[in-house]
Amino acid sequence: MEDSETNPPTSRDRRPSILRRFRDRITSSQSRDENRHNSAALSWNGNSSTPSVEAALEDLDITEYADTTNGQKSQRSVLSSLSTSNTFCEQRYDLEHVSSGRSRGFSRLDIGHAQLQTDERRRDGSRSPQQSCASYWLRRTTSLRFRRRRRPSAPNMSLMQAESANASHPEIKIPEVNLEYPSYAPNPTGGAAARAAAAAQNEMLETARSSILRDSSRLVEPKFNNDSESGIGIDLRDRFDEMDTSLPLTRTDPGVVLPEELLAHVMSYLDAASLMRAESVSHRWHNTAISYHVWKYIFWQEYNLSYQLSAEGAPLLQVGGLGLGKNRPNQEWKQMWKVRKMLEARWINAQAAAIYLEGHKDSVYCVQFDENKILTGSRDRTIRVWDARTYECIKVLGVPKNSSPPRVHEPRPNPTNRKNHPTVSIVPARTIVELTPTFTPSLYHDGSILCLQFDQEIMVTGSSDHTCIVWDMKDDYKAIRRLRHHSAGVLDVCFDDKHIVSCSKDTTICLWDRQTGDLRRTFAGHRGPVNAVQLRGNLIVSASGDGIAKLWNLVSGLCIKEFPSRDRGMACVEFSPDSRTILAGGNDMVIYHFDANSGELVRELKGHKGLVRSLHLDSANGRVISGSYDTSVKAYDLKTGDMICDFEGWTTSWMLSAKADYRRICATSQDSRAIIMDFGHQLPGIELLEG
């Protein structure tokens, strides 16, 4: 013992000494307990009836014992150890010595080794002669009754948590010997996921409560229910409407708090009138509100929307300019916005200057222009190119027919309507004196130039000589090829990046390849001359003297829809860039507005007193321009159909063609002149809008 205290052996070295000590104690106490053991054995073996568990426990004097390390141990564990022993005598000695182990100084290890010896004897198969049916019954009962049911393992549960769970488990009472299975208590580790979800929702609820009740004097406390599992009743709505409005509000100037870039971005969402009022708030607001990029966004948002929509669809042959200016550094976008507003006011008030282009020797049938040049085609078989800024004739294409020089005409203003009178009438001097040399190309028309259309690359003209000619715009208007198929005069032409479409007095429509000039398809269906045609993507719309406008499919060559007039023929037609609107006019002096998808008549634009000879849809600015045989040019609002301005009597004869852009209307007349109605004449800053 002294050696063991000075040099304590390991658990492996102490096993033999512990066994010896245990045997010695058993031997010394055997004589003392022999009588008691024999009496208990005789009472168990000799009684034929089945004893109760309580009697057996009372005879064996089994009591609860204390473990030296873990405290109290239940009586069930002692009975479990009984079921593993071989003989009743060995069980008796084990139980008694175990029950008194603490008082006698036995450690838990000593008791374990004693039990180990008992197990070894059981494995050897030895059976004590004193073992009886009562000992078998006792092992049977205790093994069935006190066998521990395996509990499903709980994730992340430590040993200490398991012990505490067992300690909180209610003790199961020992039933009578009827071998009925007991009812087990609920599993304490079940529902871990549900409890975790409830804890998370409770935490979220508490966070919402603390944020809402941060200022309890201004907000009403919300009501919560106790259903935290499903989340029903959790109210996270904004309680701003429940605030007490009588309390003073804290107002902060965003110009002081926000950085300059963010403040400019916020101001860019204002309209122009609000932005100009914001300039007078403070110096910081003023400097931000007049910045270039803020007004650039305002300007493009108001005037570039229609242009963007047209650019997304089929490319539209641009007539005139867009009035968007040049995108260059330090552009005066605010001044450009003001110029556009003044220009719109002039449109409403019909304040325009009349500029006459005189040079043709006969009726001028067609016109098209951009910001740099104006092209006109005449019955004198020539095409004239005019400078759009100086209004001088810079080139004449074709061989003019012999005729007398044109006479200068003066406009006939209507004295009863001041809006009808031009603000100023200008006739450039060089257009009167014939100083422009005539360029005779290898190909030219032998008849009247009835129609023309151009873009940045080519120009296509149609003539009464039954042919079309394609011209190269980049090579000084050089004639490329002639298109032959029609048997009568070509009344109108149009094209896109793939095809060229022409219509004729022979009631047919021809589709040509733009690159090669080959004829692809002929559309026949009209019963009268096809006076006008328009192309948008795979759709063609045509207007004829038979009084019907037709919508054709470019691929199949079939007529999809028909748009009839009231009672007379149609002379002109327009097709919107988004292919949704069709405008047509003719002998009944009415402009028809059709829905291309449904074929229904949307409205009628009235006001002319003669045949509507020409139509132009200025989709970028939302205006419809018309020219009539009543010698007037009128402008209508596309959305409402209201007349914007009326120019009547500015020429001495019929209006044969009219087109417009953001600042001017170019029209041609039978009196051999072209007239420009310029709304931006001498307007300060008008040059900023030129592209």
Side-chain angles (χ1 to χ4, degrees):
M1 295 293 292
E2 296 176 356
D3 297 339
S4 63
E5 291 177 359
T6 56
N7 297 318
T10 62
S11 61
R12 186 179 298 275
D13 297 336
R14 290 178 58 185
R15 288 181 182 177
S17 61
I18 293 173
L19 293 177
R20 285 194 300 270
R21 288 164 55 191
F22 188 71
R23 291 194 189 99
D24 293 342
R25 291 181 183 276
I26 294 175
T27 305
S28 62
S29 61
Q30 183 175 5
S31 59
R32 180 172 56 82
D33 300 327
E34 183 177 2
N35 296 330
R36 185 178 181 180
H37 168 68
N38 292 334
S39 61
L42 290 174
S43 62
W44 282 37
N45 292 330
N47 190 3
S48 60
S49 61
T50 304
S52 63
V53 177
E54 290 80 357
L57 295 177
E58 182 179 1
D59 292 337
L60 292 176
D61 192 20
I62 298 176
T63 59
E64 295 183 357
Y65 67 95
D67 187 28
T68 58
T69 58
N70 296 331
Q72 295 295 328
K73 193 169 185 180
S74 64
Q75 187 171 319
R76 297 191 305 273
S77 301
V78 179
L79 293 178
S80 299
S81 65
L82 284 174
S83 65
T84 60
S85 62
N86 286 330
T87 63
F88 178 80
C89 181
E90 292 169 347
Q91 293 173 1
R92 189 260 180 193
Y93 283 119
D94 292 341
L95 292 172
E96 184 169 352
H97 286 285
V98 166
S99 63
S100 59
R102 184 175 183 181
S103 61
R104 298 183 182 185
F106 282 88
S107 64
R108 188 175 184 180
L109 188 59
D110 298 337
I111 298 173
H113 283 294
Q115 185 65 36
L116 182 60
Q117 284 186 344
T118 305
D119 295 339
E120 290 177 355
R121 287 194 298 272
R122 181 184 178 186
R123 286 193 298 269
D124 294 340
S126 60
R127 184 183 181 90
S128 174
Q130 298 177 357
Q131 186 176 5
S132 63
C133 62
S135 64
Y136 172 77
W137 174 87
L138 183 60
R139 289 197 312 273
R140 174 77 174 177
T141 304
T142 56
S143 62
L144 290 174
R145 188 67 193 91
F146 302 104
R147 183 173 300 168
R148 186 181 298 273
R149 181 179 179 183
R150 180 173 297 276
R151 183 179 295 112
S153 60
N156 301 328
M157 177 176 287
S158 62
L159 181 60
M160 185 174 294
Q161 293 174 344
E163 290 294 338
S164 62
N166 292 334
S168 61
H169 197 288
E171 184 177 358
I172 304 174
K173 296 182 179 181
I174 301 175
E176 297 295 333
V177 189
N178 53 6
L179 300 181
E180 294 180 357
Y181 290 97
S183 59
Y184 293 96
N187 190 353
T189 62
R195 288 193 296 274
Q201 288 198 8
N202 290 335
E203 183 179 358
M204 182 181 66
L205 186 63
E206 186 63 27
T207 303
R209 180 194 295 270
S210 61
S211 62
I212 293 176
L213 300 181
R214 187 171 300 169
D215 190 359
S216 59
S217 62
R218 299 173 62 183
L219 297 177
V220 180
E221 181 178 359
K223 296 180 180 180
F224 301 95
N225 61 15
N226 297 324
D227 187 6
S228 59
E229 290 285 345
S230 62
I232 299 176
I234 298 179
D235 190 2
L236 299 179
R237 292 175 297 176
D238 187 10
R239 299 289 176 173
F240 183 79
D241 54 345
E242 300 180 6
M243 294 177 59
D244 188 2
T245 56
S246 62
L247 297 175
L249 298 178
T250 302
R251 294 179 173 86
T252 304
D253 185 3
V256 178
V257 179
L258 299 179
E260 185 176 356
E261 293 80 4
L262 186 56
L263 181 61
H265 182 71
V266 172
M267 287 187 176
S268 64
Y269 288 94
L270 299 175
D271 58 277
S274 300
L275 187 61
M276 287 189 292
R277 287 195 299 267
E279 296 178 6
S280 59
V281 174
S282 63
H283 290 287
R284 177 73 182 275
W285 284 49
H286 177 79
N287 296 332
T288 305
I290 63 173
S291 61
Y292 296 119
H293 64 276
V294 172
W295 277 101
K296 176 183 177 181
Y297 186 83
I298 296 295
F299 181 84
W300 280 65
Q301 186 180 23
E302 185 170 354
Y303 293 106
N304 197 40
L305 181 61
S306 299
Y307 170 69
Q308 291 176 348
L309 292 177
S310 61
E312 291 176 359
L316 176 65
L317 294 175
Q318 179 59 39
V319 176
L322 296 174
L324 301 177
K326 297 179 180 179
N327 192 4
R328 56 189 177 187
N330 299 328
Q331 178 67 285
E332 298 179 7
W333 297 102
K334 181 179 179 181
Q335 183 63 25
M336 292 171 57
W337 180 86
K338 291 182 178 180
V339 173
R340 285 297 296 261
K341 286 300 180 182
M342 290 187 290
L343 200 60
E344 291 177 357
R346 288 192 175 187
W347 273 88
I348 296 174
N349 297 324
Q351 297 177 358
I355 303 172
Y356 295 92
L357 304 180
E358 299 181 352
H360 284 291
K361 299 178 181 180
D362 209 332
S363 302
V364 183
Y365 287 120
C366 52
V367 63
Q368 187 185 343
F369 67 98
D370 58 21
E371 289 187 326
N372 299 316
K373 56 186 175 297
I374 302 172
L375 274 70
T376 56
S378 173
R379 192 184 179 199
D380 62 6
R381 305 178 183 180
T382 62
I383 303 167
R384 287 182 176 262
V385 182
W386 312 80
D387 189 282
R389 293 178 175 86
T390 62
Y391 307 111
E392 297 179 357
C393 182
I394 58 178
K395 188 179 288 294
V396 178
L397 304 177
V399 179
K401 65 179 181 179
N402 296 326
S403 62
S404 60
R407 183 175 58 89
V408 178
H409 302 277
E410 294 295 335
R412 297 180 304 170
N414 187 355
T416 61
N417 188 358
R418 293 181 59 87
K419 291 185 178 181
N420 192 285
H421 196 284
T423 57
V424 61
S425 298
I426 302 174
V427 180
R430 194 171 179 179
T431 62
I432 301 177
V433 182
E434 188 63 36
L435 299 177
T436 305
T438 301
F439 174 74
T440 304
S442 57
L443 297 175
Y444 56 90
H445 287 293
D446 295 329
S448 303
I449 310 297
L450 302 179
C451 54
L452 64 86
Q453 190 77 62
F454 71 86
D455 61 7
Q456 300 296 327
E457 297 179 354
I458 64 172
M459 176 178 64
V460 180
T461 57
S463 173
S464 59
D465 61 3
H466 310 172
T467 64
C468 299
I469 295 181
V470 181
W471 311 78
D472 191 349
M473 298 289 291
K474 295 182 177 180
D475 192 10
D476 197 21
Y477 303 96
K478 179 180 179 181
I480 301 175
R481 66 180 62 91
R482 188 189 296 268
L483 307 179
R484 297 178 182 271
H485 181 76
H486 290 291
S487 58
V490 179
L491 302 180
D492 197 10
V493 293
C494 63
F495 60 87
D496 59 11
D497 57 345
K498 295 180 180 180
H499 305 98
I500 299 174
V501 179
S502 61
C503 61
S504 173
K505 196 175 180 179
D506 61 5
T507 71
T508 62
I509 303 171
C510 291
L511 179 67
W512 313 82
D513 186 274
R514 171 169 174 161
Q515 303 299 328
T516 63
D518 297 335
L519 180 64
R520 296 298 185 186
R521 187 185 295 274
T522 300
F523 300 87
H526 283 291
R527 295 174 307 212
V530 183
N531 295 316
V533 67
Q534 287 288 308
L535 171 65
R536 296 290 181 266
N538 291 329
L539 298 175
I540 298 175
V541 61
S542 59
S544 173
D546 58 7
I548 298 176
K550 292 179 179 289
L551 184 64
W552 307 82
N553 184 281
L554 193 66
V555 178
S556 63
L558 300 177
C559 178
I560 302 174
K561 288 184 178 66
E562 292 185 352
F563 308 91
S565 64
R566 296 293 184 187
D567 55 356
R568 298 187 182 183
M570 291 186 175
C572 52
V573 71
E574 277 289 296
F575 203 8
S576 64
D578 57 4
S579 303
R580 296 180 180 179
T581 302
I582 294 177
L583 301 174
N587 282 324
D588 50 8
M589 301 176 290
V590 176
I591 301 173
Y592 297 101
H593 181 176
F594 294 103
D595 188 302
N597 295 326
S598 63
E600 297 180 356
L601 177 63
V602 178
R603 64 175 59 92
E604 295 181 359
L605 308 182
K606 299 180 180 180
H608 284 290
K609 301 176 183 178
L611 180 145
V612 181
R613 179 64 175 81
S614 173
L615 279 176
H616 174 69
L617 175 58
D618 183 10
S619 58
N621 299 286
R623 290 190 284 261
V624 178
I625 310 300
S626 61
S628 172
Y629 279 2
D630 61 4
T631 70
S632 69
V633 174
K634 291 178 172 54
Y636 298 87
D637 187 275
L638 178 62
K639 294 182 179 180
T640 63
D642 298 333
M643 184 183 299
I644 300 175
C645 53
D646 180 11
F647 304 100
E648 183 179 356
W650 285 31
T651 60
T652 58
S653 186
W654 297 343
M655 288 291 185
L656 302 179
S657 179
K659 290 181 172 59
D661 65 353
Y662 69 99
R663 65 168 290 183
R664 63 176 73 88
I665 297 175
C666 290
T668 60
S669 173
Q670 193 184 19
D671 62 3
S672 72
R673 294 184 300 175
I675 181 174
I676 300 174
M677 304 171 184
D678 190 3
F679 297 88
H681 181 69
Q682 295 182 351
L683 181 65
I686 190 64
E687 65 277 357
L688 296 175
L689 303 180
E690 297 179 359

